[in-house]
C-alpha cells in the first residue's frame, strides 16, 4: 500500500546563544492510510517535537516530509481546550470559523458527528455540563470537523482518570476507525499504545533515534481488555519496556 505520508531523516536542533542541542536525529517513517501509530520513549526524547514539526508549528532542522498537497493534519492536544462560554456545537465549529470554512454543509457534517457519537442531545449545553470523557469526544469532533486525513494526538488522555481514560481511548479509536483516519499518537502509557495501535515506534533517549518498530500482531477482533489478557500483550510490553528502560 502506498504511504500517505513519508517522513525522511527528520532532525531537530535547538539553538541558544552559547550552544546547540540535537533533540531528534534522523527520524524516518512511512505512514499508511488508516494506520494508527504510537510513538513511545523516555521523557524528553522529542516525541512531541516530532508532532509539532508535522503539524507545522515547529520548523525542522533537516529531513523532509513528503505528502500529497491534499493531505491535511488535525492536531489534538493534551487538554480538551473547550471554551466554557461556547456551547458544545459552537466549540465544535470553532476550527471551521477560524479557517473561514463554516458553511451549511460543514455545519451539518459536525451535527451528524455529534449525533453519531452520542452527543446530539448536548449540542446546546456547555462544557461544564459534560463529563471529562464527553468533553474529550467533543475535542475530537472539533478536530474531525476540518476533515483531516491524519490526526496527531499528543497525550490526548493524560488529564483523565484511569477508568475514564480506558473508555475514552476505546471511543476515540472506534471513531477514528469508522471515519477512516490515520493517526500518530504520542503517549507515555504503554498499555494505551498496545491496545490502540497497529504499530509502535520506540525512540531512544536524546538525541533520539528510532530504536525499534513493532508491527503489532493482535487479532483485530479483540477488545482492549481482551488484548491485555493475551500472552502476546505481555511479550510486547516487556520488549518495549526494556527498550525504553535501556534509553540508548
Amino acid at each position: 500500500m502506498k504511504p500517505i505520508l513519508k517522513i525522511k531523516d527528520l532532525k531537530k536542533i535547538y539553538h541558544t546563544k552559547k550552544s546547540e542541542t540535537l533533540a531528534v536525529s534522523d527520524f524516518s517513517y512511512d505512514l499508511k492510510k488508516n494506520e494508527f501509530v504510537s510513538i513511545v520513549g523516555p521523557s524528553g526524547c522529542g516525541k512531541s517535537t516530532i508532532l509539532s514539526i508535522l503539524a507545522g508549528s515547529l520548523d525542522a532542522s533537516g529531513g523532509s516530509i513528503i505528502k500529497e498537497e491534499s493531505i491535511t493534519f488535525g492536531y489534538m492536544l493534551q487538554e480538551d481546550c473547550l471554551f466554557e462560554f461556547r456551547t458544545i456545537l459552537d466549540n465544535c465549529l470553532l476550527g471551521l470559523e477560524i479557517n473561514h470554512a463554516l458553511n451549511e454543509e460543514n455545519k451539518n457534517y459536525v451535527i451528524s458527528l455529534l449525533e453519531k457519537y452520542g452527543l446530539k442531545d448536548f449540542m446546546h449545553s456547555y462544557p461544564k455540563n459534560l463529563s471529562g470523557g464527553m468533553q474529550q469526544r467533543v475535542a475530537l469532533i472539533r478536530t474531525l470537523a476540518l476533515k483531516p486525513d491524519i490526526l496527531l494526538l499528543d497525550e490526548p488522555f493524560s488529564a483523565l482518570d484511569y477508568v475514564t481514560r480506558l473508555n475514552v481511548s476505546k471511543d476515540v479509536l472506534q471513531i477514528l476507525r469508522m471515519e477512516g483516519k490515520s493517526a500518530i499518537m504520542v503517549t507515555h502509557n504503554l498499555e494505551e499504545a498496545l491496545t490502540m495501535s497497529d504499530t509502535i515506534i520506540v525512540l531512544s533517549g536524546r538525541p533520539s533515534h528510532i530504536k525499534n518498530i513493532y508491527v503489532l500482531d493482535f487479532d483485530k477482533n479483540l477488545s482492549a481488555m481482551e488484548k491485555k489478557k493475551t500472552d502476546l500483550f505481555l511479550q510486547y510490553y516487556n520488549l518495549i519496556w526494556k527498550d525504553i528502560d535501556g534509553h540508548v
Side-chain angles (χ1 to χ4, degrees), residues 157-177:
F157 317 117
S158 59
L160 303 174
D161 64 77
Y162 180 74
V163 174
T164 304
R165 187 169 183 150
L166 288 177
N167 291 328
V168 175
S169 63
K170 179 183 70 176
D171 288 347
V172 167
L173 182 60
Q174 182 182 33
I175 291 170
L176 294 180
R177 297 295 193 208

Side-chain angles (χ1 to χ4, degrees), residues 28-86:
S28 299
Y29 191 75
D30 291 353
L31 181 72
K32 298 183 285 294
K33 184 175 174 59
N34 300 334
E35 185 181 16
F36 194 114
V37 174
S38 285
I39 302 176
V40 301
S43 294
C45 71
K47 299 183 292 295
S48 293
T49 295
I50 292 168
L51 285 197
S52 296
I53 292 172
L54 292 175
S57 58
L58 195 63
D59 291 330
S61 303
S64 59
I65 298 168
I66 304 167
K67 64 180 182 64
E68 292 181 9
E69 192 172 340
S70 60
I71 298 294
T72 58
F73 292 104
Y75 203 162
M76 189 170 170
L77 301 170
Q78 294 181 16
E79 303 291 336
D80 57 57
C81 298
L82 302 180
F83 288 107
E84 292 294 339
F85 57 87
R86 293 178 69 107

Side-chain angles (χ1 to χ4, degrees), residues 92-104:
C92 289
L93 297 176
L94 182 60
L96 292 168
E97 291 176 16
I98 292 171
N99 285 273
H100 307 291
L102 181 56
N103 53 39
E104 202 63 27

Side-chain angles (χ1 to χ4, degrees), residues 18-29:
K18 295 183 178 180
S19 65
E20 62 178 36
T21 301
L22 178 60
V24 178
S25 172
D26 301 326
F27 180 91
S28 299
Y29 191 75

